[in-house]
Amino acid sequence: KNEVEQSPQNLTAQEGEFITINCSYSVGISALHWLQQHPGGGIVSLFMLSSGKKKHGRLIATINIQEKHSSLHITASHPRDSAVYICAVQGRRSGGGADGLTFGKGTHLIIQP
Amino acid sequence: ETGVTQSPTHLIKTRGQQVTLRCSSQSGHNTVSWYQQALGQGPQFIFQYYREEENGRGNFPPRFSGLQFPNYSSELNVNALELDDSALYLCASSGKTSGAAKQYFGPGTRLTVT
């Protein structure tokens, strides 16, 4: 079973700061997902990564498969970025079938004006 | 393009009762996964359905069961409700059944068991 650890659990920063959230996992994966969850529950997929780096607007996600580690970066952070950011990994299963996603506990990010 | 929808939004049930939650997948998606998210925790994988058959299951007892219909909408049924079943239930659809696939989440159903 894959163990997914995120850090930090809570992060409060000032508007404009560069934010980094880290994720590590224990077993090889087919992909890693970064998700954003706002109060009320809705989850939005930000990135799906299997190697390298992806960028979308002010968000950057990187993954190091050898070290089993990923980071999510937010540049020029804004109060509207305040949310819970969740790392989730998608396992490999031979012979078909699905393992679903294994989630970290999330990072509660608050960006203060 | 229609997103993933879930109903009802909120639900209160009594211990021992049965509940059915519903999910409509994003248009064109034939795979749906269900997750349970307890307060303050990350979601936990319940099971996945592909073309009306269960395709994978997490560590949940048999009283958690599901259905997927020909139009790819889905139901999660929970029998003999327990207090610990109180949680946010999320469904997510994707266009692939194996390998890496972007997941599209619904808004969730918040279940309270008293």
Side-chain angles (χ1 to χ4, degrees), chain A residues 6-61:
Chain A
Q6 278 187 245
S7 63
Q9 289 187 5
N10 298 283
L11 179 57
T12 300
Q14 295 298 120
E15 183 173 356
E17 285 189 38
F18 181 80
I19 303 299
T20 296
I21 299 171
N22 294 300
C23 175
S24 61
Y25 53 93
S26 57
V27 179
I29 60 172
S30 61
L32 182 142
H33 301 251
W34 281 104
L35 309 164
Q36 181 192 57
Q37 187 171 31
H38 283 282
I43 292 180
V44 174
S45 177
L46 299 175
F47 296 103
M48 184 179 73
L49 292 164
S50 53
S51 65
K53 174 180 172 179
K54 287 190 175 181
K55 184 176 188 293
H56 184 254
R58 295 180 294 105
L59 301 178
I60 303 166

Side-chain angles (χ1 to χ4, degrees), chain A residues 67-89:
Chain A
E67 294 186 2
K68 296 185 176 62
H69 180 269
S70 176
S71 294
L72 176 69
H73 306 284
I74 305 175
T75 62
S77 59
H78 190 276
R80 65 174 174 264
D81 297 327
S82 298
V84 176
Y85 291 84
I86 304 173
C87 167
V89 299

Side-chain angles (χ1 to χ4, degrees), chain B residues 24-95:
Chain B
S24 291
S25 301
Q26 181 146 323
S27 177
H29 286 181
N30 55 19
T31 301
V32 65
S33 301
W34 283 92
Y35 299 92
Q36 180 196 65
Q37 187 176 23
L39 199 61
Q41 302 294 315
Q44 299 285 319
F45 175 62
I46 303 174
F47 44 56
Q48 183 187 87
Y49 275 79
Y50 170 67
R51 291 190 175 180
E52 304 175 54
E53 296 212 357
E54 187 179 292
N55 190 44
R57 190 176 184 94
N59 190 26
F60 279 80
R63 60 188 185 85
F64 285 78
S65 63
L67 284 172
Q68 188 182 31
F69 299 100
N71 65 355
Y72 303 135
S73 65
S74 176
E75 287 182 355
L76 164 66
N77 298 290
V78 187
N79 292 322
L81 283 167
E82 300 177 0
L83 296 179
D84 284 349
D85 296 332
S86 296
L88 180 69
Y89 288 85
L90 296 157
C91 75
S93 71
S94 67

